Amino acid sequence: MEDDREYESNVLVEVQGVDIIPEVASSYRPVKGMMFSSIDQAFDFNCEYAKKAGFRARKGGSYVHGGVLKTKYFTCCKEGHKPAKMYDSKGDCNESSKPYYKRRKRPTIRCGCRAHIQLKSVDGGFFEVDDFVESHNHRMVADSYMHGKYDVEMIVQRLCAKKTFSSDYSFEYDVNDVRELIRMFWADETSKSNYLAFGDVIFFDATFKTNKYKMVLFPFTEIDNHCHSVTVCAGLLASEIIESYTWLLQMLLKSFGHASKVVVTDQDPVMKQTIASVFPNTRHRLCMWHIMKKVADKVGADLCNNEDFKITLCYIVWTD
């Protein structure tokens, strides 16, 4: 948290009336007339320059004519100002009521910085740097506080530090031959206490690859004495194969010391095989929600809505 606060303090400082030009090696600096084969290539170059300079870049506005991109801007992340919304006395954003007052939920990092790169289309396929403003009206951020494409190293270092300072914190990760992160597991002290209290039955199900890293999130969930869901640990996997599942369950055993008596999952044949191998004394059951969701597809709507059939089905599914 101290690192986060220090980073934010650096981000939010504005140097009034002072132009700051970052000191960057000429090989990383954009110059007027520089050519790029695509917008993505130009933005990658600009992001590398921004990292060396100590600020974060973002894509700005565009000018399109006849369906063809003519001009593109890359700006500093502190370009412009965040518009303030008007709220009434009840906290609703409703301009028809009085009185209004301005409310800002969180600090903005924008301070009207005018640093930017302007690209223009050349010959329909290339883009040339047409204008480059390198002066900023704010301090640069120290390299150790910069975010971006190095965030994997950042999160690994932070969780390793937690593990160093807290003997009860568990964090494990694995990389492939080219040093790419392929799996990760973590559990904190509170999670371990919850597992000891409510760990007889545990449920886990992979989420879809909705994050930009295309990794699968594996939350491990239990039900506490208030019938509330409690997440006791989690993992990230680059692929849903037996090797990855086996590693994940082994890390759970390593962290908690014992397996749950019952594991509930969806109908995943790879997971079924892995649980039988890593948790040989654990009873594996399928999720009732998944079962009932597929009943109509298997037996048809008419039979699915038959009351006698539903009673018989529930008796079969829930019996021991």
Side-chain angles (χ1 to χ4, degrees):
M1 291 299 295
E2 293 296 333
D3 290 345
D4 293 341
R5 285 195 294 269
E6 187 172 351
Y7 173 76
E8 289 299 328
S9 66
N10 284 339
V11 167
L12 295 175
V13 171
E14 178 179 352
V15 183
Q16 296 288 348
V18 177
D19 289 336
I20 295 180
I21 298 179
E23 296 183 4
V24 180
S26 58
S27 58
Y28 292 100
R29 293 179 67 255
V31 294
K32 191 172 181 178
M34 184 177 287
M35 301 290 292
F36 298 96
S37 60
S38 66
I39 290 295
D40 289 337
Q41 184 191 33
F43 188 64
D44 288 342
F45 181 87
N46 185 52
C47 288
E48 188 65 24
Y49 161 71
K51 184 179 186 303
K52 298 291 183 182
F55 71 96
R56 286 180 291 175
R58 65 183 178 90
K59 293 181 179 179
S62 306
Y63 170 67
V64 179
H65 180 71
V68 178
L69 179 64
K70 295 294 185 180
T71 306
K72 182 65 180 179
Y73 291 91
F74 300 148
T75 68
C76 173
C77 66
K78 301 183 184 182
E79 177 266 344
H81 294 277
K82 183 179 178 180
K85 291 184 178 181
M86 308 300 291
Y87 294 83
D88 61 20
S89 58
K90 296 181 180 180
D92 297 324
C93 186
N94 183 359
E95 296 186 1
S96 63
S97 58
K98 298 287 184 177
Y100 301 120
Y101 67 92
K102 293 183 180 181
R103 185 176 70 182
R104 190 174 64 185
K105 292 184 177 181
R106 58 191 179 97
T108 176
I109 66 172
R110 297 193 179 189
C111 58
C113 181
R114 296 184 177 275
H116 69 269
I117 294 175
Q118 178 184 341
L119 299 173
K120 69 176 182 179
S121 176
V122 179
D123 296 331
F126 292 88
F127 293 89
E128 178 184 356
V129 176
D130 191 44
D131 188 30
F132 173 43
V133 176
E134 57 183 330
S135 60
H136 298 253
N137 67 343
H138 55 86
R139 295 176 183 173
M140 300 296 102
V141 179
D143 188 62
S144 58
Y145 296 105
M146 289 294 292
H147 297 268
K149 65 180 180 180
Y150 303 99
D151 46 2
V152 172
E153 289 89 341
M154 180 184 67
I155 191 63
V156 168
Q157 291 175 2
R158 174 156 297 191
L159 295 184
C160 283
K162 283 188 175 183
K163 184 177 178 180
T164 301
F165 293 112
S166 176
S167 59
D168 291 332
Y169 188 85
S170 294
F171 171 63
E172 304 290 342
Y173 71 99
D174 193 15
V175 296
N176 59 17
D177 295 336
V178 293
R179 303 294 299 170
E180 293 176 336
L181 183 69
I182 57 174
R183 38 190 173 246
M184 187 165 66
F185 172 89
W186 66 94
D188 59 21
E189 303 88 336
T190 303
S191 299
K192 292 183 178 181
S193 298
N194 288 330
Y195 187 85
L196 290 175
F198 315 115
D200 288 345
V201 179
I202 190 169
F203 174 84
F204 50 92
D205 184 21
T207 64
F208 187 68
K209 299 178 182 180
T210 55
N211 54 81
K212 66 179 181 179
Y213 305 102
K214 304 302 181 182
M215 299 188 76
V216 180
L217 175 65
F218 254 92
F220 292 77
T221 308
E222 298 170 346
I223 303 298
D224 65 11
N225 56 320
H226 299 289
C227 294
H228 293 160
S229 297
V230 178
T231 300
V232 294
C233 58
L236 282 173
L237 299 179
S239 60
E240 297 179 83
I241 58 177
I242 291 180
E243 182 182 1
S244 295
Y245 283 156
T246 300
W247 181 90
L248 189 64
L249 298 187
Q250 288 174 342
M251 293 305 103
L252 186 149
L253 280 178
K254 179 180 177 180
S255 298
F256 298 131
H258 67 279
S260 299
K261 296 180 180 179
V262 178
V263 170
V264 182
T265 71
D266 62 357
Q267 193 174 2
D268 185 342
V270 178
M271 180 57 70
K272 179 180 179 180
Q273 183 177 346
T274 307
I275 292 172
S277 174
V278 184
F279 295 168
N281 299 320
T282 296
R283 304 180 68 181
H284 181 204
R285 292 294 180 262
L286 300 180
C287 174
M288 187 64 176
W289 183 85
H290 286 97
I291 293 174
M292 300 307 296
K293 183 180 179 182
K294 296 179 179 179
V295 169
D297 296 334
K298 301 295 183 180
V299 304
D302 293 338
L303 184 57
C304 182
N305 293 323
N306 183 281
E307 291 298 326
D308 293 335
F309 171 78
K310 289 193 289 185
I311 293 173
T312 304
L313 176 64
C314 288
Y315 174 79
I316 295 174
V317 172
W318 289 107
T319 185
D320 198 25

